[in-house]
Amino acid sequence: MTTTKLKPDWAGNDLLSRIVNRAIQTPALYALMKRQARQVLIKTAEKNGVPWRQTCLDLDTPEMRQRLDELTNPAVVYPDYYQVPFHAYSEGNLCWQAAFEAAPATYAMALRVWPQEELSWQTAQARLRHSFLEVLDQHGPAEVTDILDVGCSVGISTLSLHRHYAQRNPVRTVGLDLSPYMLVVAQSQDTNREIAQWVHGAAEATGFPAASFDVVTMQFVAHELPRAATQAIFDEARRVLRPGGVLAIVDNNPKSPVIQALPPVLFTLMKSTEPWSDDYYTFDLEAALVEAGFEPPITVPSDPRHRTLVARKGM
């Protein structure tokens, strides 16, 4: 009889996980892993036509850097978890390099979902977004006029979400992120000013009025958070949602056979750039959503590596 493992062996407090974590905590090994992780991403991207280096060159202009102050909210206090190295950047998301490289890294991530298929990066990205939106269509509210995308990064998720709903009726979409660097890039890519606001703020305390959104999304955000932050974001999402509104989450699926069977080199590299991996893969998101006051969520394996959860706020 086969059983479905709830998480990979390389996450949590298993022996394999402890060995990997000890290696990551060794400075010389960590530095090597960080460099290797970046090279894996860049190689995957550029061999599939993603213009990684050219994208960074195109974005890195004096005009871009000058816009940082405009989008920075001086009242924002960065939580401790956000000020640790991750994604192979010493400053985490609080630097230009992370912001300039976010889009090509996102495109490379989508390509890794279907490695056996010869997909262009554009097709892979479109399929990734569609798989999430399809679940949201099935289980989300019938009428949507106001949308909040938390942890919006450089706006790829936000624009995809907005355009999907805007095909039906006018919608107001807001992108929220803790990194003003990311928001500068997001705003620069929003050339037609489709997004109502790009807001520098914390998802745990957005400052938006209660019951002001129909849909709140967390797209590939939860795995970057300690569980206490995720729980606080769930509480805030419920506060800003209208009755009948939903919180929709798409992220790595701990039960995915693909995730569980990652080769040792790859999962070690991944953990070296994702400091909250163990917390994420051992955290029961469904139970946490119910604890935050949502109805029991719908969970769907939306592609080979990811799951989508849709949790409704009761009427």
Side-chain angles (χ1 to χ4, degrees):
M1 177 179 175
T2 59
T3 58
T4 301
K5 291 191 296 183
L6 299 179
K7 67 171 186 63
D9 292 336
W10 45 261
N13 198 38
D14 293 0
L15 176 62
L16 178 59
S17 178
R18 294 200 301 271
I19 292 171
V20 173
N21 290 345
R22 180 165 296 181
I24 291 169
Q25 291 162 9
T26 304
L29 283 176
Y30 172 71
L32 176 62
M33 291 175 194
K34 189 168 71 170
R35 288 196 298 272
Q36 288 297 108
R38 281 182 50 75
Q39 289 308 309
V40 167
L41 271 177
I42 295 171
K43 183 178 179 180
T44 300
E46 295 198 330
K47 79 175 184 180
N48 288 283
V50 177
W52 185 294
R53 293 176 178 86
Q54 189 59 50
T55 296
C56 297
L57 289 172
D58 292 343
L59 289 172
D60 192 1
T61 65
E63 293 77 16
M64 185 77 75
R65 291 174 179 264
Q66 287 167 7
R67 293 163 63 184
L68 184 63
D69 287 345
E70 298 173 19
L71 278 167
T72 299
N73 177 0
V76 167
V77 177
Y78 296 109
D80 290 343
Y81 73 80
Y82 202 71
Q83 300 184 74
V84 299
F86 66 94
H87 285 182
Y89 307 109
S90 298
E91 303 90 349
N93 279 344
L94 294 173
C95 65
W96 285 116
Q97 187 179 29
F100 294 156
E101 294 187 335
T106 300
Y107 301 148
M109 180 267 286
L111 284 164
R112 294 199 303 276
V113 177
W114 299 278
Q116 306 307 318
E117 298 185 49
E118 294 185 5
L119 303 176
S120 68
W121 66 264
Q122 295 94 334
T123 299
Q125 185 64 207
R127 185 187 288 187
L128 179 74
R129 300 299 167 183
H130 177 74
S131 64
F132 166 65
L133 294 168
E134 188 174 39
V135 178
L136 186 50
D137 277 347
Q138 292 173 359
H139 302 287
E143 295 185 12
V144 175
T145 57
D146 297 279
I147 304 166
L148 174 62
D149 185 28
V150 302
C152 68
S153 182
V154 293
I156 296 170
S157 60
T158 320
L159 285 165
S160 172
L161 183 68
H162 174 82
R163 289 166 180 168
H164 179 74
Y165 280 104
Q167 296 177 71
R168 310 172 191 180
N169 55 267
V171 293
R172 176 183 71 103
T173 303
V174 177
L176 176 85
D177 203 272
L178 260 176
S179 170
Y181 300 88
M182 296 288 180
L183 292 169
V184 169
V185 174
Q187 188 182 69
S188 76
Q189 302 306 294
D190 183 18
T191 53
N192 293 323
R193 297 295 183 261
E194 298 172 70
I195 305 306
Q197 291 176 275
W198 296 106
V199 177
H200 180 211
E204 299 95 319
T206 64
F208 293 116
S212 54
F213 295 96
D214 304 298
V215 172
V216 175
T217 62
M218 294 175 66
Q219 301 186 56
F220 307 104
V221 174
H223 73 276
E224 298 180 351
L225 303 171
R227 65 181 64 198
T230 301
Q231 188 74 66
I233 292 170
F234 288 174
D235 292 339
E236 176 68 353
R238 187 177 182 278
R239 186 188 71 81
V240 301
L241 279 168
R242 295 179 179 125
V246 300
L247 169 60
I249 303 162
V250 60
D251 218 310
N252 298 334
N253 184 0
K255 297 180 182 180
S256 160
V258 176
I259 293 286
Q260 292 185 357
L262 284 176
V265 170
L266 287 184
F267 68 65
T268 302
L269 290 179
M270 186 174 77
K271 288 194 76 173
S272 74
T273 63
E274 300 283 2
W276 306 110
S277 287
D278 286 337
D279 232 17
Y280 173 75
Y281 284 104
T282 58
F283 185 37
D284 188 338
L285 290 186
E286 288 92 341
L289 286 163
V290 172
E291 184 180 338
F294 287 94
E295 296 177 359
I298 301 294
T299 303
V300 177
S302 42
D303 67 49
R305 293 174 68 114
H306 304 114
R307 60 178 172 174
T308 294
L309 298 87
V310 181
R312 185 177 300 275
K313 178 178 178 177
M315 302 297 290

